[in-house]
Structure formats: C-alpha cells, structure tokens
Amino acid sequence: MISFEDILKPETVEIIETCESRKSILERASCLLSRNQKELDQRGLLEKFIEREELGSTALDDSEIAIPHCRHELCMTPTAALIRVNTAVPFGREEKVRLVVALVVPAEATSEHLQILRTIALIASSPSNLKQLLTVQSPTDLYTTFVRFAAEECTP
C-alpha cells in the first residue's frame, strides 16, 4: 500500500497567490523537491519535468489539476510537491490549473510510479475532493486534506 505521508512532506506544500506560467510553477516544484531530496539538482529536475511536458500536458481535463512527473536516476524514493495557485495558471494548450502535484520517482520504480499517479488521478476525479483542496486556507490544511484523500483511495 502506498503511503502519501512518505511521499508528500509538509515542507513541500505551498499555497501561492499567482504564478505566471507552466514553467514558473515547474521551477517552484523543482525547488521544493530538490530541497526535500538533496541528491536532486533543481535545474536537472526542471529539465526532466519540461521534457515530460513536451510529450503532452499533464493537466487533467476539466479538473484544474496537473500532475507533472518524471523518473530520475538520483531519486532515492518517490517524492512529491503540492502547490495550489489561487489564480489559474496556463498549463498546456487550453488547460488552466490551480493545483499541481509534481512527482519524481526513482528510475526503476515503474509499478509504484503508476500506482501513485493512479491515486492522484482518483483524488482529482472527485469534484468534492477538488473543491476542498481548492478552498482550504493553509498549506498545513492542504497537506492534511490531500493525505487523507490519498489514504481513502489507497484503502482496499
């Protein structure tokens, strides 16, 4: 069973007022993730996120959420950053997002990578969950709400 308490840490969760572009929010996520895992280089991580986005936007249709993700050979354990932007950010051709769950996993973590992405997508598929995530008032509340939803999705 996946534990998002192991993947997402309170120090990698932020609520920001505005963000100008997809690249700037990916830069912010790369910064948070590289602080959380010292082996990860912020610039290298950003390049991997951008490479993945060039394959196709990771914004989920009609949900205001994006899940930029990548594999990284220096990543020791899956780690995520959660950023909510109070003003929607252009993220792809037509998508605008307010919630970004950036994920980096070890290069060989294929099955775990897919399970984590699936859990995030299940959380995002609930309008009630999204409403709560988009309206909580603090990064602490955002963290605890997201982790609770993830635990509910991972419970057999």
Side-chain angles (χ1 to χ4, degrees):
M1 185 169 94
I2 296 171
S3 170
F4 268 81
E5 289 177 329
D6 295 333
I7 297 167
L8 182 66
K9 302 296 181 192
E11 59 271 14
T12 62
V13 177
E14 287 188 341
I15 296 175
I16 56 178
E17 194 56 41
T18 61
C19 197
E20 296 174 10
S21 66
R22 173 172 60 180
K23 183 177 180 186
S24 62
I25 203 159
L26 293 174
E27 287 172 342
R28 188 74 208 130
S30 298
C31 178
L32 291 170
L33 291 166
S34 65
R35 273 197 252 149
N36 193 40
Q37 273 195 37
K38 300 298 181 197
E39 306 83 14
L40 299 175
D41 169 65
Q42 181 180 345
R43 183 170 300 284
L45 192 52
L46 175 61
E47 288 172 6
K48 289 199 176 275
F49 281 136
I50 290 171
E51 282 175 20
R52 171 56 190 88
E53 289 298 319
E54 287 174 352
L55 297 174
S57 175
T58 57
L60 303 180
D61 292 338
D62 301 322
S63 69
E64 293 188 279
I65 186 170
I67 313 171
H69 57 278
C70 67
R71 297 173 195 265
H72 198 293
E73 55 282 344
L74 297 178
C75 180
M76 300 309 206
T77 182
T79 188
L82 175 59
I83 302 170
R84 188 182 81 208
V85 184
N86 289 332
T87 305
V89 179
F91 209 93
R93 292 181 190 245
E94 296 179 21
E95 302 92 352
K96 289 193 174 195
V97 302
R98 292 189 50 220
L99 195 65
V100 172
V101 185
L103 174 68
V104 59
V105 299
E108 69 282 350
T110 304
S111 175
E112 192 173 20
H113 186 178
L114 294 176
Q115 289 176 329
I116 295 166
L117 290 173
R118 180 182 176 276
T119 300
I120 297 167
L122 287 170
I123 292 167
S125 69
S126 164
S128 171
N129 289 353
L130 274 177
K131 182 178 180 184
Q132 287 181 58
L133 291 168
L134 292 172
T135 58
V136 295
Q137 297 299 308
S138 72
T140 301
D141 290 342
L142 182 58
Y143 170 79
T144 56
T145 302
F146 187 89
V147 168
R148 178 172 44 89
F149 291 153
E152 291 169 3
E153 292 300 338
C154 291
T155 302

